[in-house]
Amino acid sequence: MLPFHDLAAQVRDHKVEIDAAIARVLASGEYVLGSEGRAFEAEFAAYAAAPFAIGVASGMAALELALLALGIGPGDDVVIPALTAVPTAMAVLSVGATPRLADVQLDTVLMDPASLEHEITPRTRAIVPVHLYGQCADLVAIDAIAARHGIPVIEDCAQAHGAMDQGRAAGTVGIAGCFSFYPTKNLGAIGDAGAIVTTDAALAERFARLRNYGNRGGFDFIEPGRNERLDELQAAILRVKLRHLAAGNERRRANATRYRAALPEAKLRLPVERPGVHHVYHQFVIQSDRRDALREHLAAAAVATLVHYPLALQDVEALRTRVVFREAPRRAAEAARTILSLPIYPELPAAHQQQVIGAILDFAA
Ligand SMILES: Cc1ncc(COP(=O)(O)O)c(C=O)c1O
């Protein structure tokens, strides 16, 4: 079977640097919130074009801390898109607030600004657009709606390291940008990790406190917080992988270009790039009314695919009774039936990609 990911390939490619990073941490005696973490924060902030980055334990923790820092909790609602990874919704639930679903646009599978505006209520305290598959949601439209209603935007950038919208880096348009470094992400750790970027110095300090029991230094605990710290081993490995992120994103984009050139637009819907975006192709997601048959055909041809995601959030068992909306997000449910993610990882061998393309052409013929 041709794999969907090959996470070990990236480690193999940079093994000497990664081994040196691990050895440095082991010898340092500093394992949590130390010099590697601080260096990674500075380097990731520079990459993300943000003044501040705060390392945390996961992408979900980044979202939770951003919501907590804005004082969001029980009685509040937070608008999120109806098709995203479940942690976008789980983070809202974990601070005691209610996820309110905006529908997505069918072609891009990104938050639909018109649906967002329709879902805003007097209880709405934040808007969380998700830059799904490596492409920024329409930040100009979303930011304008948010500004008109006086509601902050928290960007879910878990799939969008290096993405841009109209020349602005993902994570720098809203009040905070939340990144995941889960191993499959464009920048992936060897375990769980995440970061929050912000342009606001006071918020940056707050995030740093909230990840560490509300600590301001020494034994000065000034507010209730959590333990959502980034460890030194992950930070040191992320520093190595960050140096290769831009090249990896370019390889993903080149793979996308090859798929576009070879796949039959007439029989499949290829991913739509919004004007003015820099897409980093965390996933290459095609749409087909015969998705399940295509997926089975590809599996029979030894090509592994995935579906991100098979259910809209209102249909996920854990969320069904916990999310709210004025209008049921029908387009998200429809997209969930047609989307199919093809292998696009940076190390994807050209021959494997040809095999994927060949199998799809064979199905479409
Ligand atoms: C869109 C989105 N948001 C949030 C997360 C949560 O990140 P993590 O798995 O690091 O908690 C993920 C990844 O799983 C994601 O894809």
Side-chain angles (χ1 to χ4, degrees):
M1 197 78 168
L2 297 185
F4 186 79
H5 296 295
D6 184 357
L7 300 181
Q10 209 173 82
V11 174
R12 271 196 308 275
D13 287 351
H14 309 302
K15 183 151 184 356
V16 174
E17 287 174 274
I18 290 174
D19 282 346
I22 292 171
R24 201 168 63 232
V25 173
L26 295 184
S28 73
E30 221 185 10
Y31 302 127
V32 174
L33 293 187
S35 53
E36 294 288 341
R38 284 190 294 275
F40 173 67
E41 288 173 342
E43 290 159 11
F44 187 70
Y47 176 84
F52 307 100
I54 295 86
V56 296
S58 70
M60 175 155 157
L63 289 165
E64 291 171 298
L65 298 188
L67 293 165
L68 280 179
L70 295 180
I72 293 169
D76 299 331
D77 73 38
V78 174
V79 186
I80 65 173
L83 200 85
T84 175
V86 293
T88 313
M90 298 275 181
V92 175
L93 291 173
S94 107
V95 301
T98 302
R100 178 172 281 278
L101 304 185
D103 211 345
V104 297
Q105 290 174 325
L106 204 47
D107 56 353
T108 58
V109 200
L110 295 169
M111 179 187 265
D112 176 15
S115 175
L116 157 66
E117 182 134 47
H118 185 61
E119 291 295 339
I120 289 174
T121 76
R123 295 152 82 109
T124 306
R125 297 286 309 282
I127 297 166
V128 183
V130 177
H131 304 323
L132 199 69
Y133 307 148
Q135 164 161 247
C136 289
D138 186 346
L139 286 171
V140 172
I142 291 168
D143 201 37
I145 293 166
R148 201 156 56 241
H149 292 269
I151 300 170
V153 172
I154 298 169
E155 296 174 59
D156 183 336
C157 306
Q159 305 189 1
H161 318 71
M164 313 250 284
D165 185 31
Q166 319 308 318
R168 296 187 293 180
T172 64
V173 177
I175 197 160
C178 300
F179 289 84
S180 164
F181 306 125
Y182 184 74
T184 57
K185 302 303 192 216
N186 290 35
L187 178 59
I190 314 292
D192 279 306
I196 319 176
V197 302
T198 182
T199 54
D200 182 316
L203 259 186
E205 265 182 43
R206 188 100 194 271
F207 296 146
R209 281 204 303 270
L210 287 171
R211 73 175 166 184
N212 190 28
Y213 320 128
N215 182 277
R216 190 167 56 181
F219 272 83
D220 201 7
F221 296 91
I222 63 167
E223 63 178 326
R226 297 189 175 190
N227 176 353
E228 298 292 1
R229 299 176 298 230
L230 175 64
D231 72 69
E232 289 286 283
L233 212 43
Q234 297 304 339
I237 294 167
L238 284 166
R239 291 182 68 198
V240 173
K241 291 193 143 201
L242 180 59
R243 295 200 280 274
H244 304 285
L245 174 59
N249 281 349
E250 280 317 304
R251 303 227 296 263
R252 288 174 182 274
R253 286 167 53 79
N255 290 343
T257 302
R258 270 191 290 277
Y259 275 135
R260 278 185 196 287
L263 294 178
E265 183 83 67
K267 303 231 167 130
L268 298 165
R269 296 192 288 286
L270 299 182
V272 170
E273 284 196 12
R274 296 182 41 250
V277 294
H278 180 76
H279 196 319
V280 294
Y281 285 98
H282 176 59
Q283 303 296 353
F284 188 89
V285 179
I286 61 173
Q287 297 187 38
S288 166
D289 298 327
R290 299 170 63 209
R291 189 270 313 275
D292 291 338
L294 173 57
R295 193 164 188 220
E296 277 169 32
H297 171 85
L298 292 175
V303 172
T305 56
L306 287 176
V307 175
H308 299 95
Y309 296 90
L311 292 173
L313 296 184
Q314 71 270 21
D315 296 322
V316 172
E317 185 179 347
L319 300 174
R320 199 171 286 147
T321 59
R322 296 183 168 92
V323 297
V324 297
F325 40 78
R326 283 188 165 134
E327 197 171 317
R330 281 181 301 102
R331 277 167 279 148
E334 184 178 343
R337 280 192 297 274
T338 62
I339 50 183
L340 185 66
S341 308
L342 305 180
I344 184 119
Y345 60 95
E347 300 78 17
L348 177 66
H352 289 196
Q353 191 176 13
Q354 276 315 316
Q355 201 170 322
V356 179
I357 290 166
I360 295 173
L361 292 178
D362 183 34
F363 178 83

